[in-house]
Amino acid sequence: MDVLYFAWVRERIGLPREKVETEATTVNDLVAELRAREERYDMAFSDLSALRVALDQQLSDFDAPLAGVREVAFFPPMTGG
């Protein structure tokens, strides 16, 4: 699946997107796999309350299932102005 990173998440990980082979069944499982990779991922995902996730461009929850999902995007909450 494609995993996309936006704003400071992208800056901490150092990539805008990557293809990920995963056995994860939920977003939380995917985050755990990513955090175990390297310190930069661990740092980026250390506070999930500061992140939002979208599955196939639909805002979702971290306990959402990944079955059939082609794209996961992580980003900080958006603010209006």
Side-chain angles (χ1 to χ4, degrees):
M1 79 179 49
D2 289 323
V3 180
L4 287 67
Y5 308 108
F6 294 94
W8 57 260
V9 184
R10 177 181 58 224
E11 292 171 9
R12 290 182 185 174
I13 292 174
L15 298 169
R17 70 183 315 143
E18 63 182 320
K19 286 234 183 254
V20 174
E21 296 291 329
T22 181
E23 298 295 320
T25 58
T26 67
V27 176
N28 277 321
D29 294 340
L30 176 61
V31 168
E33 285 182 12
L34 292 170
R35 290 186 75 182
R37 283 179 160 189
E38 296 177 32
E39 185 177 338
R40 62 187 172 138
Y41 290 93
D42 189 42
M43 195 169 73
F45 292 107
S46 64
D47 182 8
L48 294 186
S49 69
L51 285 174
R52 299 294 177 264
V53 64
L55 304 179
D56 292 331
Q57 300 183 8
Q58 296 292 317
L59 198 58
S60 192
D61 296 314
F62 282 87
D63 59 355
L66 291 175
V69 171
R70 293 179 312 234
E71 179 186 274
V72 179
F74 294 103
F75 50 92
M78 294 177 242
T79 60

